[in-house]
Amino acid sequence: MATPKAAEFPSGLDESTEQDYASQSNLLREFVPIPSIDTACLLKSPSSDSESQAMFAVSQPNLVANRKRKFILSSTILNTGTSPTFHWAPFPVEMSGVSAMIPSPSASKLLIIRNPENNESATRFEVWNSSQLQREFQVPQSVHGSVYTDAWFEGISWNSDETRVAYVAEEPAPAKPSFNDQGYKKGASNDKDCGTWKGQGEWEEDWGETYAGKRQPALFVIDITSGDVQAVKGIDKSLSVGQVVWAPSTKEGSEKYLVFVGWSFETRKLGIKYCYNRPCALYAVKAPHPHSKANEAEIQSTEDIQALKLTETISSAFFPRFSPDGKFLVFLSARSSVDSGAHSATNSLHRLDWHTDMKQYKSAKVYDVIPVVMSADDGCFPGLYCFSMLRDPWLSDGYTMIIQSIWHSNQVLISVNVLSGEILRITPADSNFSWSLLSLDGENILAVSSSPVDIPQLKYGTLVEKEKETGNSEWSWLDVSNPIFKCSDKVTSLLSSLEFSIMKIPVKDGSESLTKGANKPFEAIFVTSKSKKSDTCDPLIVILHGGPHSVSLSGFSKSSAFLSSLGYSLLIVNYRGSIGFGEEALQSLPGKAGSQDVNDVLTAVDHVISLGLASPSKIAVLGGSHGGFLTTHLIGQAPDKFIAAASRNPVCNLALMVGTTDIPDWCYVEAYGTSGKDRFTEAPSAEDLALFYSKSPISHLSKVKTPTLFLLGAQDLRVPISTGLQYARALREKGVEAKVILFPNDVHGIERPQSDFESFLNIGVWFNKYCK
């Protein structure tokens, strides 16, 4: 066979590297088709108490189309004995163009929302019954833009008699100035006219990363019989609204209320994605009367329709959920995050009694159900870390909620008695797997469990009485045979050769000046081959999460499984400052970013070396965002430790980032500590910039000699590409090998299927080049 000329290889590749790309691409392709469950709902059969219908919304990467393929798979659950049986539909049904799918409370109707693909088309609302499409409405852009379905601002709620739906959508686009060949044309209009063009109009702030170009979220109600859409009045224009729910009716003919979350802003909307330190509150507002004319609402006094703030005494309130009997309202709070400035911290859970007289809320008492845990004893509940909640999280007693929460390096399921505050971990205490909550089926739970070396498994939990004398109960978990989580024989074989453990890493040089929680061991997830090859260790990849107040969970990750299958051990470090370990440990990091977190990672690496699990000469490091901050810090502060590095959208220079990011306050809090919250300004001083530079990886650049791969999303608003490009160029300037792959249409996560694939393929090839 003729050997291709060098010029025939893709840019930057030689024959050996191209062969590595081809073989690794084939392996990575084995992992790509493994789907994930986005949502699930369980609907009781009207004809049988022992029968339920389950609908699973599943997504799967479509590499060719560069988007997620979404489909529905249904199952009938028969629960006539001790072991329920699942009868699956023979095939899934693809749901092209569906933005949201919400069953009505009785499960007799299904609302499907289809957002437009551009800013000119209408939003479509479809109402289906068990056999056919009942109603279809198109809501033009002049009424509102796309419906928010992003799990943060999203709020789509049926009323109790299933005649109306409240939801959050973009405000209608403002009219823009018009121009023609004569210049400015009087009278703004949104209508198109031949020979004219629209001016840009005034620029408006958005909510940053992933919300670029999205207009203000506002509240609307649609009548599903007539298709009439009404904007909800009485909400201050400074509020961005989300997570709306219908309040229970207290008596026949009384006013109907909507409860929603409102985020206010003063001079600037800072980025809100992953940022729970943005103040927010619960509000109640009168729902518009059905079929009322616009001028009828104006007859009411302003005070009569004005939204009422329900949570005056707390700085954060979100995910409102009414008890089944309508007597109280439960909500989550990130007040520890708001008050400290850390973008994520320990949550708390609260309760409000629901009154018939709305005026009582001006002095309503907020009850603590789960307070912020500062530092827990070993084996005890470390605090609440919950970032999603079921629409209906209640067991049949009406006061027990089922919630998923992060517990150290695992995600677990807990039950919470919202009257007594009693918390029980209901997933197995001896399991190091991570669990995700899907839906409740009466007293039963549908969940997913997985580990770094086990693909997701569907689980069905049943409440089992343990001892009548004590009243304690336990849960039995059944493995559900299902067609959703299927993988190739090759993936099964590769994963079966791996094992994982969760290591506790003692704090190095702990001191009395640290809090009790900050002196406690942190954790690392270690993934390796079951069979050790002679006396040598597999090369090690140290993987670092972003945030920094986030966590790497012991669940399945396709990208990590791919790297493990290439023959690498993985050390996935949850350094102090990670969520899931108590508030004291988390708050020990702000002000020490770039030192404490770096030292924790080095301590973890030395720990596995001392155990003989890693060779000091074959260690690579990989991280994104703050994990990229740590990656580039490590190759500067420990220049002889790492043989190769890869960094996704890294924070390399805080002094440059602070003026371009959507979260400049993050730079102040992580550099100064909690006091940075009060120092924050849009105009950093010379003193601020000097500190930011000293805390940044670029201040250690002169010592770096590790070849480094950079993967950058050009549309990243969180960590704009300028900081990564500056660092990569500086490395090249001093003769260190640096490769940059730029994804022109990707944001901070680099999650689009083609970009994710190319990203981890390049990481695998890069590490093979230097580690093997």
Side-chain angles (χ1 to χ4, degrees), residues 470-495:
T470 62
N472 291 335
S473 57
E474 64 177 11
W475 290 79
S476 171
W477 294 97
L478 170 74
D479 287 344
V480 177
S481 177
N482 72 91
I484 298 175
F485 298 117
K486 297 295 183 185
C487 62
S488 68
D489 292 340
K490 184 171 184 178
V491 168
T492 301
S493 175
L494 287 166
L495 293 178

PDB file of all heavy atoms in Angstrom, residues 470-495:
ATOM      1  N   THR A 470     -40.739   0.204  66.649  1.00  0.00           N
ATOM      2  CA  THR A 470     -39.992   1.462  66.535  1.00  0.00           C
ATOM      3  C   THR A 470     -40.603   2.412  65.520  1.00  0.00           C
ATOM      4  O   THR A 470     -40.369   3.616  65.568  1.00  0.00           O
ATOM      5  CB  THR A 470     -38.536   1.187  66.117  1.00  0.00           C
ATOM      6  OG1 THR A 470     -38.541   0.566  64.820  1.00  0.00           O
ATOM      7  CG2 THR A 470     -37.854   0.265  67.113  1.00  0.00           C
ATOM      8  N   GLY A 471     -41.388   1.863  64.582  1.00  0.00           N
ATOM      9  CA  GLY A 471     -41.953   2.719  63.547  1.00  0.00           C
ATOM     10  C   GLY A 471     -40.977   3.024  62.437  1.00  0.00           C
ATOM     11  O   GLY A 471     -41.299   3.723  61.482  1.00  0.00           O
ATOM     12  N   ASN A 472     -39.727   2.512  62.543  1.00  0.00           N
ATOM     13  CA  ASN A 472     -38.741   2.737  61.496  1.00  0.00           C
ATOM     14  C   ASN A 472     -39.107   1.929  60.255  1.00  0.00           C
ATOM     15  O   ASN A 472     -39.784   0.911  60.331  1.00  0.00           O
ATOM     16  CB  ASN A 472     -37.342   2.336  61.973  1.00  0.00           C
ATOM     17  CG  ASN A 472     -36.825   3.267  63.042  1.00  0.00           C
ATOM     18  OD1 ASN A 472     -37.244   4.417  63.105  1.00  0.00           O
ATOM     19  ND2 ASN A 472     -35.934   2.775  63.887  1.00  0.00           N
ATOM     20  N   SER A 473     -38.645   2.380  59.116  1.00  0.00           N
ATOM     21  CA  SER A 473     -38.936   1.684  57.865  1.00  0.00           C
ATOM     22  C   SER A 473     -37.697   1.688  56.999  1.00  0.00           C
ATOM     23  O   SER A 473     -36.774   2.483  57.192  1.00  0.00           O
ATOM     24  CB  SER A 473     -40.098   2.344  57.125  1.00  0.00           C
ATOM     25  OG  SER A 473     -39.803   3.700  56.877  1.00  0.00           O
ATOM     26  N   GLU A 474     -37.654   0.778  56.051  1.00  0.00           N
ATOM     27  CA  GLU A 474     -36.545   0.732  55.115  1.00  0.00           C
ATOM     28  C   GLU A 474     -37.095   0.556  53.707  1.00  0.00           C
ATOM     29  O   GLU A 474     -38.270   0.255  53.524  1.00  0.00           O
ATOM     30  CB  GLU A 474     -35.581  -0.403  55.468  1.00  0.00           C
ATOM     31  CG  GLU A 474     -36.201  -1.783  55.345  1.00  0.00           C
ATOM     32  CD  GLU A 474     -35.195  -2.881  55.625  1.00  0.00           C
ATOM     33  OE1 GLU A 474     -34.084  -2.571  56.122  1.00  0.00           O
ATOM     34  OE2 GLU A 474     -35.525  -4.042  55.349  1.00  0.00           O
ATOM     35  N   TRP A 475     -36.210   0.742  52.731  1.00  0.00           N
ATOM     36  CA  TRP A 475     -36.624   0.654  51.341  1.00  0.00           C
ATOM     37  C   TRP A 475     -35.945  -0.532  50.674  1.00  0.00           C
ATOM     38  O   TRP A 475     -34.761  -0.794  50.892  1.00  0.00           O
ATOM     39  CB  TRP A 475     -36.268   1.951  50.604  1.00  0.00           C
ATOM     40  CG  TRP A 475     -37.116   3.108  51.034  1.00  0.00           C
ATOM     41  CD1 TRP A 475     -36.972   3.846  52.162  1.00  0.00           C
ATOM     42  CD2 TRP A 475     -38.243   3.636  50.351  1.00  0.00           C
ATOM     43  NE1 TRP A 475     -37.946   4.804  52.243  1.00  0.00           N
ATOM     44  CE2 TRP A 475     -38.738   4.702  51.131  1.00  0.00           C
ATOM     45  CE3 TRP A 475     -38.891   3.324  49.155  1.00  0.00           C
ATOM     46  CZ2 TRP A 475     -39.837   5.458  50.748  1.00  0.00           C
ATOM     47  CZ3 TRP A 475     -39.983   4.080  48.774  1.00  0.00           C
ATOM     48  CH2 TRP A 475     -40.453   5.131  49.569  1.00  0.00           C
ATOM     49  N   SER A 476     -36.697  -1.221  49.869  1.00  0.00           N
ATOM     50  CA  SER A 476     -36.176  -2.316  49.065  1.00  0.00           C
ATOM     51  C   SER A 476     -36.046  -1.836  47.626  1.00  0.00           C
ATOM     52  O   SER A 476     -36.983  -1.234  47.086  1.00  0.00           O
ATOM     53  CB  SER A 476     -37.131  -3.511  49.142  1.00  0.00           C
ATOM     54  OG  SER A 476     -36.760  -4.512  48.225  1.00  0.00           O
ATOM     55  N   TRP A 477     -34.889  -2.099  47.000  1.00  0.00           N
ATOM     56  CA  TRP A 477     -34.626  -1.574  45.658  1.00  0.00           C
ATOM     57  C   TRP A 477     -34.513  -2.714  44.657  1.00  0.00           C
ATOM     58  O   TRP A 477     -33.677  -3.610  44.790  1.00  0.00           O
ATOM     59  CB  TRP A 477     -33.348  -0.735  45.656  1.00  0.00           C
ATOM     60  CG  TRP A 477     -33.498   0.504  46.479  1.00  0.00           C
ATOM     61  CD1 TRP A 477     -33.109   0.691  47.771  1.00  0.00           C
ATOM     62  CD2 TRP A 477     -34.136   1.717  46.071  1.00  0.00           C
ATOM     63  NE1 TRP A 477     -33.450   1.956  48.194  1.00  0.00           N
ATOM     64  CE2 TRP A 477     -34.082   2.614  47.173  1.00  0.00           C
ATOM     65  CE3 TRP A 477     -34.743   2.143  44.887  1.00  0.00           C
ATOM     66  CZ2 TRP A 477     -34.605   3.901  47.123  1.00  0.00           C
ATOM     67  CZ3 TRP A 477     -35.266   3.422  44.828  1.00  0.00           C
ATOM     68  CH2 TRP A 477     -35.195   4.290  45.931  1.00  0.00           C
ATOM     69  N   LEU A 478     -35.380  -2.666  43.658  1.00  0.00           N
ATOM     70  CA  LEU A 478     -35.437  -3.692  42.622  1.00  0.00           C
ATOM     71  C   LEU A 478     -34.735  -3.193  41.362  1.00  0.00           C
ATOM     72  O   LEU A 478     -34.956  -2.062  40.917  1.00  0.00           O
ATOM     73  CB  LEU A 478     -36.907  -4.015  42.297  1.00  0.00           C
ATOM     74  CG  LEU A 478     -37.178  -4.891  41.066  1.00  0.00           C
ATOM     75  CD1 LEU A 478     -36.817  -6.334  41.381  1.00  0.00           C
ATOM     76  CD2 LEU A 478     -38.642  -4.782  40.638  1.00  0.00           C
ATOM     77  N   ASP A 479     -33.870  -4.035  40.775  1.00  0.00           N
ATOM     78  CA  ASP A 479     -33.288  -3.737  39.466  1.00  0.00           C
ATOM     79  C   ASP A 479     -34.364  -3.948  38.400  1.00  0.00           C
ATOM     80  O   ASP A 479     -34.958  -5.025  38.324  1.00  0.00           O
ATOM     81  CB  ASP A 479     -32.100  -4.649  39.168  1.00  0.00           C
ATOM     82  CG  ASP A 479     -30.877  -4.298  39.989  1.00  0.00           C
ATOM     83  OD1 ASP A 479     -30.845  -3.192  40.554  1.00  0.00           O
ATOM     84  OD2 ASP A 479     -29.945  -5.129  40.067  1.00  0.00           O
ATOM     85  N   VAL A 480     -34.595  -2.920  37.592  1.00  0.00           N
ATOM     86  CA  VAL A 480     -35.617  -2.998  36.552  1.00  0.00           C
ATOM     87  C   VAL A 480     -34.954  -3.304  35.217  1.00  0.00           C
ATOM     88  O   VAL A 480     -34.129  -2.528  34.724  1.00  0.00           O
ATOM     89  CB  VAL A 480     -36.407  -1.677  36.444  1.00  0.00           C
ATOM     90  CG1 VAL A 480     -37.422  -1.760  35.303  1.00  0.00           C
ATOM     91  CG2 VAL A 480     -37.101  -1.363  37.757  1.00  0.00           C
ATOM     92  N   SER A 481     -35.294  -4.439  34.659  1.00  0.00           N
ATOM     93  CA  SER A 481     -34.805  -4.763  33.323  1.00  0.00           C
ATOM     94  C   SER A 481     -35.441  -3.794  32.337  1.00  0.00           C
ATOM     95  O   SER A 481     -36.668  -3.641  32.312  1.00  0.00           O
ATOM     96  CB  SER A 481     -35.175  -6.205  32.976  1.00  0.00           C
ATOM     97  OG  SER A 481     -34.768  -6.508  31.664  1.00  0.00           O
ATOM     98  N   ASN A 482     -34.607  -3.117  31.534  1.00  0.00           N
ATOM     99  CA  ASN A 482     -35.159  -2.077  30.662  1.00  0.00           C
ATOM    100  C   ASN A 482     -34.349  -1.971  29.384  1.00  0.00           C
ATOM    101  O   ASN A 482     -33.150  -2.294  29.354  1.00  0.00           O
ATOM    102  CB  ASN A 482     -35.168  -0.735  31.400  1.00  0.00           C
ATOM    103  CG  ASN A 482     -33.781  -0.158  31.579  1.00  0.00           C
ATOM    104  OD1 ASN A 482     -33.293   0.596  30.756  1.00  0.00           O
ATOM    105  ND2 ASN A 482     -33.103  -0.532  32.682  1.00  0.00           N
ATOM    106  N   PRO A 483     -34.977  -1.473  28.306  1.00  0.00           N
ATOM    107  CA  PRO A 483     -34.271  -1.321  27.023  1.00  0.00           C
ATOM    108  C   PRO A 483     -33.562   0.024  26.876  1.00  0.00           C
ATOM    109  O   PRO A 483     -32.979   0.289  25.824  1.00  0.00           O
ATOM    110  CB  PRO A 483     -35.404  -1.458  26.003  1.00  0.00           C
ATOM    111  CG  PRO A 483     -36.606  -0.910  26.716  1.00  0.00           C
ATOM    112  CD  PRO A 483     -36.424  -1.229  28.171  1.00  0.00           C
ATOM    113  N   ILE A 484     -33.624   0.878  27.897  1.00  0.00           N
ATOM    114  CA  ILE A 484     -33.083   2.235  27.746  1.00  0.00           C
ATOM    115  C   ILE A 484     -31.559   2.220  27.785  1.00  0.00           C
ATOM    116  O   ILE A 484     -30.886   2.703  26.874  1.00  0.00           O
ATOM    117  CB  ILE A 484     -33.643   3.175  28.834  1.00  0.00           C
ATOM    118  CG1 ILE A 484     -35.161   3.289  28.716  1.00  0.00           C
ATOM    119  CG2 ILE A 484     -33.000   4.556  28.727  1.00  0.00           C
ATOM    120  CD1 ILE A 484     -35.816   4.097  29.821  1.00  0.00           C
ATOM    121  N   PHE A 485     -31.014   1.651  28.865  1.00  0.00           N
ATOM    122  CA  PHE A 485     -29.567   1.721  29.063  1.00  0.00           C
ATOM    123  C   PHE A 485     -28.891   0.480  28.480  1.00  0.00           C
ATOM    124  O   PHE A 485     -28.499  -0.431  29.199  1.00  0.00           O
ATOM    125  CB  PHE A 485     -29.248   1.870  30.548  1.00  0.00           C
ATOM    126  CG  PHE A 485     -29.790   3.125  31.157  1.00  0.00           C
ATOM    127  CD1 PHE A 485     -30.729   3.065  32.169  1.00  0.00           C
ATOM    128  CD2 PHE A 485     -29.376   4.374  30.717  1.00  0.00           C
ATOM    129  CE1 PHE A 485     -31.236   4.223  32.742  1.00  0.00           C
ATOM    130  CE2 PHE A 485     -29.893   5.531  31.271  1.00  0.00           C
ATOM    131  CZ  PHE A 485     -30.815   5.458  32.281  1.00  0.00           C
ATOM    132  N   LYS A 486     -28.798   0.469  27.180  1.00  0.00           N
ATOM    133  CA  LYS A 486     -28.115  -0.614  26.506  1.00  0.00           C
ATOM    134  C   LYS A 486     -26.767  -0.122  26.000  1.00  0.00           C
ATOM    135  O   LYS A 486     -26.621   1.030  25.586  1.00  0.00           O
ATOM    136  CB  LYS A 486     -28.949  -1.132  25.327  1.00  0.00           C
ATOM    137  CG  LYS A 486     -30.294  -1.743  25.727  1.00  0.00           C
ATOM    138  CD  LYS A 486     -30.097  -3.009  26.558  1.00  0.00           C
ATOM    139  CE  LYS A 486     -31.439  -3.644  26.884  1.00  0.00           C
ATOM    140  NZ  LYS A 486     -31.291  -4.812  27.784  1.00  0.00           N
ATOM    141  N   CYS A 487     -25.771  -0.990  26.076  1.00  0.00           N
ATOM    142  CA  CYS A 487     -24.460  -0.626  25.526  1.00  0.00           C
ATOM    143  C   CYS A 487     -23.902  -1.832  24.794  1.00  0.00           C
ATOM    144  O   CYS A 487     -24.406  -2.959  24.919  1.00  0.00           O
ATOM    145  CB  CYS A 487     -23.518  -0.158  26.625  1.00  0.00           C
ATOM    146  SG  CYS A 487     -23.150  -1.397  27.868  1.00  0.00           S
ATOM    147  N   SER A 488     -22.853  -1.619  24.038  1.00  0.00           N
ATOM    148  CA  SER A 488     -22.273  -2.688  23.227  1.00  0.00           C
ATOM    149  C   SER A 488     -21.553  -3.702  24.114  1.00  0.00           C
ATOM    150  O   SER A 488     -21.196  -3.420  25.264  1.00  0.00           O
ATOM    151  CB  SER A 488     -21.289  -2.100  22.215  1.00  0.00           C
ATOM    152  OG  SER A 488     -20.149  -1.567  22.890  1.00  0.00           O
ATOM    153  N   ASP A 489     -21.338  -4.886  23.575  1.00  0.00           N
ATOM    154  CA  ASP A 489     -20.594  -5.911  24.300  1.00  0.00           C
ATOM    155  C   ASP A 489     -19.181  -5.433  24.622  1.00  0.00           C
ATOM    156  O   ASP A 489     -18.628  -5.778  25.674  1.00  0.00           O
ATOM    157  CB  ASP A 489     -20.528  -7.203  23.469  1.00  0.00           C
ATOM    158  CG  ASP A 489     -21.889  -7.869  23.317  1.00  0.00           C
ATOM    159  OD1 ASP A 489     -22.786  -7.562  24.135  1.00  0.00           O
ATOM    160  OD2 ASP A 489     -22.047  -8.679  22.387  1.00  0.00           O
ATOM    161  N   LYS A 490     -18.625  -4.631  23.731  1.00  0.00           N
ATOM    162  CA  LYS A 490     -17.264  -4.136  23.959  1.00  0.00           C
ATOM    163  C   LYS A 490     -17.228  -3.231  25.182  1.00  0.00           C
ATOM    164  O   LYS A 490     -16.323  -3.331  26.021  1.00  0.00           O
ATOM    165  CB  LYS A 490     -16.764  -3.388  22.723  1.00  0.00           C
ATOM    166  CG  LYS A 490     -15.319  -2.922  22.846  1.00  0.00           C
ATOM    167  CD  LYS A 490     -14.791  -2.375  21.540  1.00  0.00           C
ATOM    168  CE  LYS A 490     -13.318  -2.011  21.659  1.00  0.00           C
ATOM    169  NZ  LYS A 490     -12.743  -1.521  20.383  1.00  0.00           N
ATOM    170  N   VAL A 491     -18.211  -2.318  25.310  1.00  0.00           N
ATOM    171  CA  VAL A 491     -18.265  -1.433  26.474  1.00  0.00           C
ATOM    172  C   VAL A 491     -18.457  -2.251  27.746  1.00  0.00           C
ATOM    173  O   VAL A 491     -17.793  -2.019  28.763  1.00  0.00           O
ATOM    174  CB  VAL A 491     -19.393  -0.390  26.315  1.00  0.00           C
ATOM    175  CG1 VAL A 491     -19.651   0.337  27.629  1.00  0.00           C
ATOM    176  CG2 VAL A 491     -19.027   0.614  25.223  1.00  0.00           C
ATOM    177  N   THR A 492     -19.354  -3.228  27.690  1.00  0.00           N
ATOM    178  CA  THR A 492     -19.587  -4.086  28.858  1.00  0.00           C
ATOM    179  C   THR A 492     -18.304  -4.776  29.286  1.00  0.00           C
ATOM    180  O   THR A 492     -17.968  -4.840  30.477  1.00  0.00           O
ATOM    181  CB  THR A 492     -20.667  -5.142  28.535  1.00  0.00           C
ATOM    182  OG1 THR A 492     -21.873  -4.474  28.166  1.00  0.00           O
ATOM    183  CG2 THR A 492     -20.923  -6.034  29.725  1.00  0.00           C
ATOM    184  N   SER A 493     -17.567  -5.298  28.312  1.00  0.00           N
ATOM    185  CA  SER A 493     -16.313  -5.988  28.614  1.00  0.00           C
ATOM    186  C   SER A 493     -15.275  -5.033  29.202  1.00  0.00           C
ATOM    187  O   SER A 493     -14.605  -5.357  30.188  1.00  0.00           O
ATOM    188  CB  SER A 493     -15.771  -6.641  27.336  1.00  0.00           C
ATOM    189  OG  SER A 493     -14.510  -7.219  27.571  1.00  0.00           O
ATOM    190  N   LEU A 494     -15.166  -3.852  28.621  1.00  0.00           N
ATOM    191  CA  LEU A 494     -14.187  -2.882  29.115  1.00  0.00           C
ATOM    192  C   LEU A 494     -14.508  -2.443  30.539  1.00  0.00           C
ATOM    193  O   LEU A 494     -13.623  -2.373  31.397  1.00  0.00           O
ATOM    194  CB  LEU A 494     -14.152  -1.661  28.186  1.00  0.00           C
ATOM    195  CG  LEU A 494     -13.493  -1.864  26.816  1.00  0.00           C
ATOM    196  CD1 LEU A 494     -13.827  -0.694  25.887  1.00  0.00           C
ATOM    197  CD2 LEU A 494     -11.987  -2.013  26.958  1.00  0.00           C
ATOM    198  N   LEU A 495     -15.777  -2.143  30.801  1.00  0.00           N
ATOM    199  CA  LEU A 495     -16.155  -1.686  32.139  1.00  0.00           C
ATOM    200  C   LEU A 495     -16.008  -2.794  33.174  1.00  0.00           C
ATOM    201  O   LEU A 495     -15.682  -2.523  34.336  1.00  0.00           O
ATOM    202  CB  LEU A 495     -17.596  -1.166  32.121  1.00  0.00           C
ATOM    203  CG  LEU A 495     -17.852   0.108  31.315  1.00  0.00           C
ATOM    204  CD1 LEU A 495     -19.330   0.475  31.354  1.00  0.00           C
ATOM    205  CD2 LEU A 495     -17.006   1.270  31.820  1.00  0.00           C
TER     206      LEU A 495
END
